[in-house]
Amino acid sequence: MLTLTPTAAQAIRDLTATTPQPEQSGVRISSKGESAGSLTLTLAVAPEPTDEIVEAEGARVYLDPVAATILDDKSLDAGADDQGGVSFVVTDKLA
């Protein structure tokens, strides 16, 4: 299952804090088509019926079935640029 670093969890909490329903909002990672070649990350107020839910430190990530399979052994991290923009990166889990 995908894991979240503390930095990613904080970034997700910050992004969802101002949504209409912050207690169930999260980010959704979904595939573009049936291909493992491209994933997108968007804000979501709730999971889709087939989504896998990953929760850590008060942050929620919703994964569509293809994304859940692709990211099963990965970790999600986050960083900020000089202008305060947030970027997410997927890495291999640390042993």
Side-chain angles (χ1 to χ4, degrees), residues 32-50:
K32 288 188 173 184
E34 296 298 316
S35 155
S38 184
L39 298 173
T40 60
L41 186 143
T42 56
L43 284 175
V45 295
E48 296 293 324
T50 59

Side-chain angles (χ1 to χ4, degrees), residues 19-90:
T19 61
Q21 298 175 340
E23 64 281 349
Q24 70 182 37
S25 294
V27 296
R28 183 167 194 267
I29 301 176
S30 56
S31 58
K32 288 188 173 184
E34 296 298 316
S35 155
S38 184
L39 298 173
T40 60
L41 186 143
T42 56
L43 284 175
V45 295
E48 296 293 324
T50 59
D51 284 353
E52 182 176 308
I53 302 169
V54 176
E55 293 188 69
E57 299 180 29
R60 284 162 299 286
V61 177
Y62 307 127
L63 303 169
D64 79 6
V66 174
T69 299
I70 295 167
L71 300 175
D72 184 54
D73 61 346
K74 305 295 183 197
S75 183
L76 184 68
D77 196 7
D81 62 23
D82 293 339
Q83 290 78 37
V86 176
S87 63
F88 290 94
V89 62
V90 174

Side-chain angles (χ1 to χ4, degrees), residues 2-13 56-57 59 75-79 88-89 91 94:
L2 177 73
T3 59
L4 307 179
T5 66
T7 306
Q10 181 63 54
I12 293 167
R13 286 194 309 272
E57 299 180 29
S75 183
L76 184 68
D77 196 7
F88 290 94
V89 62
T91 61
L94 298 176

